[in-house]
Amino acid sequence: MSTGSGAESAPAPTDPDSPPTPRAARKSSMFSSLKVRNYRLFFAGQVVSNIGTWMQRIAQDWLVLSLTGSATAVGVTTALQFLPMLLFGLYGGVLVDRLPKRRTLLFTQSSMALTGIALAVLTLSGHVQVWHVYLVAFAVGLATVVDNPARQSFVSEMVGPDQLQNAVSLNSANFQSARLVGPAVAGLMITGVGTGWAFLFNGLSFVAPIAGLLLMRARELYVVERAPRGKGQLREGLHYVAGRPDLIWTIVLVGFIGTFGFNFPVYLSAFADDVFHAGAGSYSLFNTLMAVGSLAGALLAARRGTARMRVMIGAAAAFGALELVASTAPSLWLFALLMVPIGMFGMTINVTANTSIQMGTDPAMRGRVMALYMMVFLGGSPVGAPIAGWITDAYGVRAGLAVGGTIAAAAAVTIGLILARVGGLRLSVGWNRGHPHLRFVPRERQEELAAAA
């Protein structure tokens, strides 16, 4: 079977004169994609692996801090893990479009399993040094260059276009659930038996996704034509995105949000310590509540049947506005409660952008486009975090969070207006049953409404 071209599988614009879509047709079951056997195997494997990944993140930072006593060294470790995506992300997308994604994932997941086991052996034997951790972090980053776009684009081959948004949303819910469980388990394991066992658990956790990939039925996958070997494929992918306003502006919006709005490790730690003087417990509470909101946002996205641009723009505007409100929160508990909707709208942006890009992209280009998307989204953190840190140090954390929220909201409004103009839409203002009513309508429809008024 074939998913067809990206343009054909993208959500069609809503005709204002067409009859409304029945509620049942617009929404799907929250877990409908789990009815697909191949995706069910993939999802179950990711449950185990994601918990291991979060455990390794916590254990890795703690180990580096124990070895060096330096927060800068922890930052270097994080930067080394993201650096390969910044340097080689687009080339990883070219490889993903050329190679069979299932076999590619078997290779990348096995590679990451070996890095976890190697770090566990070094730590448990007492021979680990900080350069070992740096090397492992960089190796994991190299594997991620190929693994991330392959994993993202393989979802459509498992479930097809009809279940794509649901599957992407459940993947996000899966990751956020692990974010609630993994750090807690890692903390208990580090305290009880040491960091080495957390690394070993992560290495062994890759057995689950590898087994899931091996047990899949190849005949039930949606066949996608792979890109042949050839010169200029990277440039071809960039030209493809540049010629698609719906793709390029979505990626630009995600870039602004990821670079300036998602610097929560900087903001939350500073609010807990410098503003509310509450210590590490409050920092953990802020992260937990944000994870709860993110999980809720992912599940709500799974329930929606389609990925609509207006949902993404609205969520981005709300996300920025809530960050502005949080920057002025007078009490710890009000600030903590605001983390839930901030996490929910942040996840809505991520899921909607991811789904709309995959559904709007030609399958032969999907690996390159998703690599660019992930490079912009993940690569924004190493750029934005130092800027956020400088503003926080110079003017205070409230100013830092306010600047991040302002940029996110301004980017959402600006890009929303650009996309409306590209799509030939105009803002219609009216009254409906005594209440103001705002909506975007095609230009011709706007002229009819103006004439009627």
Side-chain angles (χ1 to χ4, degrees), residues 183-228:
V185 176
L188 292 173
M189 190 170 286
I190 291 168
T191 304
V193 293
T195 55
W197 294 99
F199 297 137
L200 182 61
F201 181 94
N202 179 55
L204 296 177
S205 73
F206 284 98
V207 171
I210 290 170
L213 290 166
L214 292 172
L215 290 171
M216 286 182 185
R217 295 170 181 162
R219 65 180 181 276
E220 295 178 8
L221 295 173
Y222 285 71
V223 178
V224 173
E225 184 180 353
R226 297 201 300 271

Side-chain angles (χ1 to χ4, degrees), residues 395-412:
Y395 304 101
V397 66
R398 290 189 184 276
L401 184 57
V403 169
T406 301
I407 292 175

Side-chain angles (χ1 to χ4, degrees), residues 9-11 152 155-156 160-170 172 247 250 301-302 304-308 312 347-361 366 370 373:
S9 62
Q152 297 286 337
V155 173
S156 63
D162 293 340
Q163 295 289 348
L164 182 57
Q165 162 136 349
N166 184 265
V168 169
S169 303
L170 289 183
S172 299
L247 298 182
T250 298
R304 286 193 296 270
T306 57
R308 297 192 179 277
M312 182 186 69
M347 182 54 61
T348 301
I349 299 165
N350 187 8
V351 171
T352 309
N354 188 314
T355 309
S356 63
I357 287 174
Q358 289 207 53
M359 294 183 71
T361 301
R366 194 168 283 150
M370 289 308 298
Y373 168 80

Side-chain angles (χ1 to χ4, degrees), residues 62-70 128-131 133:
W62 187 261
L63 177 62
V64 171
L65 197 60
S66 301
L67 291 171
T68 66
S70 168
V128 69
Q129 298 179 36
V130 69
W131 70 268
V133 186

Side-chain angles (χ1 to χ4, degrees), residues 114-127:
L114 290 175
T115 60
I117 292 172
L119 192 55
V121 170
L122 287 167
T123 306
L124 291 172
S125 65
H127 293 95

